[in-house]
Amino acid sequence: VCAAYGDDHHRLLDILRTLQNRYRWISPQMLSVVAAQTGQTRVAVEGVASFYSFLSLTPKGRITIRLCDDIIDRFAGLKAVAAAFEAALGIAMGETSDDGAFSLEYTPCIGLCDQAPAAMINDVVMTNLTADRAHEIVAALRSGQSPQDLISPRFSALTPYEQASRMVESNIRHAGSVLLGPVPDNAGLAAALDMTPEGIIEAVEASGLRGCGGAGFSAGKKWRLAGATPAGRRYIICDADEGEPGTFKDRVLLTERPHLLVEGMTIAAKAVGASEGIIYLRGEYAYLEGLLAAVLEERRIEGLLGRAVMGQEGFDFDIRIQMGAGAYVCGAESALISSCEGRPGEPMTRPPFPVEKGYFGCPTVVNNVETLCHAARILDRGAQWFFDMGQAGSHGTKLFSVSGDCLNPGVYELPYGMTVHALLEMAGGEDAAAVLVGGPSGTMIGRDSFERRLSFDDLATGGAVVIFGRERNILEIVDYYMSFFVDESCGYCTPCRVGNVFLQQAIAKFRKGLAGPEDIDYLKDLSATIMETSRCGLGMTSPRPILTTLENFPLVYSALVKPSEDRLRPTFDIQSAIDDARKLARRRSYIYDRDFGQ
Ligand code: SF4
């Protein structure tokens, strides 16, 4: 396996992923061999293997069933589906069957909120699960069928696009004129190759295109900075690691517009002078790897990638796919670059920014899938065409991933500046009590804010729009998202690693009716500290589910606040406090045995 990657330690993630897929775990012996082959210390290899949730240092079953544990899946019936899988397999969540055939576990959002409950069965994706379907799946797998057989008995005879689209619906509910409507082949690339790098950058700047991953930085400015930094090499990385819970629009672009994405990357390469590109594809989208690989190969054969792109001597550019392995924090640019270099996906202190010092220390443009697709269309239709759509400061269209309590979940391409209310009407979600715009690191709003606009100047969003009906419990939702951030923190900064746990504990106090007025101040003060002192975007935004609900749903909190005399009850439950230790030690507690005689 190491030899297949040239014994290169920068390809450590690929090596470990291959071992995981082939042997279902990475054994101590494998760690030692990989370290020796790649010239790394064993602890460095183990550091990578233990960082990513899809890599395992203990044996997994030949088939691993990962149920998506997003809040939307929970509301869509995840509990019943999980119970059905547990009953059918005879194992509990987190366990592997004695015969080594199956592992069953939860995983955070896999980008299928519009088709929840969903699961990954090895690299095969199943959607709209029910308890009955769970029993059928297990029966079929036990009878010897492969996960691919569950999709089609002729799976291997299908084209990569057919394989992907039989697993997952694209669910395009509204196609706009930029990305999801008709798109000509390579028109943007042909135009760009007739222009100078400066001309391309000027066009992208003039269009007003801003990064669609959430931060909204000017795409043209990013390209200009990378192109202007003196260097022998430059790189283009496509961030296809959309991990924000509730976001799935890049999944649709990767399925329906992969050529446009590669075209956008090639244009970016021409603009900044890069010869290599990487598509960083999240591990949860492994089912799309074959489709993307086929598109890249097809374009090499057609002369659209590789040496002398489209016959233009002196412009060589090619792209490789880097698979992720389950780490939300890799959505941060510097963490994603670390991951591409075969290291744990730990964010770096900035500056320097990747445009100055990125992949292998060279200037690197990291753009989201949607941003790169937009760039290709801008070069085709012109900067003014794009600029004229949307509104001041937010030009063009945006893809929204709409899910939750609505009739028509799916992807909507709309000009920037639409009101939330207008989108809710299109999606059949007018009765919503709350809408989370931008995922948990975005903003939760109530009905009195539904006339606010989806734009950078008002409600900025990377694309997630999660709708919650009147029957939903706001604090349950906040609690879920805080547990998500606690799980996904890489642990480097104390405020993020510890502070988010404290925030979650404080929310639990409210839910148990044990909070006082001072706890509201505590939530605000601790949130401010975490946001100010964390190193990357995860910690800088993790308290937002609390802060935005405190601001927009103050009664939810104040209604639960109790005067101190009503709170003089013990808040410490020793049984639950030692529960984890008891499970690790595989024994019941002394106190439990003593007091209850069991
Ligand atoms: Fe890691 Fe959190 Fe610090 Fe980011 S803020 S580097 S996720 S500990």
Side-chain angles (χ1 to χ4, degrees), residues 479-538:
D479 193 8
Y480 166 79
Y481 286 131
M482 291 317 299
S483 69
F484 170 80
F485 286 127
V486 166
D487 286 346
E488 295 297 330
S489 167
C490 80
Y492 182 88
C493 325
T494 307
C496 172
R497 184 183 65 249
V498 180
N500 284 316
V501 175
F502 287 166
L503 285 180
Q504 199 190 0
Q505 287 172 348
I507 292 297
K509 245 175 119 178
F510 278 91
R511 294 188 72 191
K512 288 178 187 164
L514 298 171
E518 70 283 2
D519 287 300
I520 291 183
D521 293 333
Y522 173 76
L523 285 174
K524 290 179 181 170
D525 292 346
L526 180 55
S527 294
T529 302
I530 295 170
M531 293 169 89
E532 274 168 30
T533 54
S534 289
R535 184 159 76 153
C536 85
L538 191 153

Side-chain angles (χ1 to χ4, degrees), residues 35 110 258 309 324 332 380 401 447 449 453 459 508 538-539 549:
I110 61 173
V309 172
D380 171 23
S401 321
R447 293 187 69 81
S449 298
R453 295 188 182 274
L459 288 169
L538 191 153
T549 49

Side-chain angles (χ1 to χ4, degrees), residues 293-353:
V295 167
L296 293 178
E297 191 51 32
E298 188 185 308
R299 291 182 74 87
R300 282 184 200 111
I301 292 167
E302 291 173 0
L304 298 166
L305 276 181
R307 210 193 73 72
V309 172
M310 268 187 145
Q312 186 163 99
E313 285 300 332
F315 178 40
D316 305 339
F317 180 66
D318 211 336
I319 297 172
R320 75 172 174 91
I321 299 169
Q322 173 67 61
M323 289 304 305
Y328 167 79
V329 73
C330 286
E333 279 185 354
S334 59
L336 184 145
I337 289 171
S338 296
S339 190
C340 289
E341 292 173 345
R343 295 187 284 122
E346 284 166 352
M348 298 290 142
T349 307
R350 301 186 306 173
F353 292 92

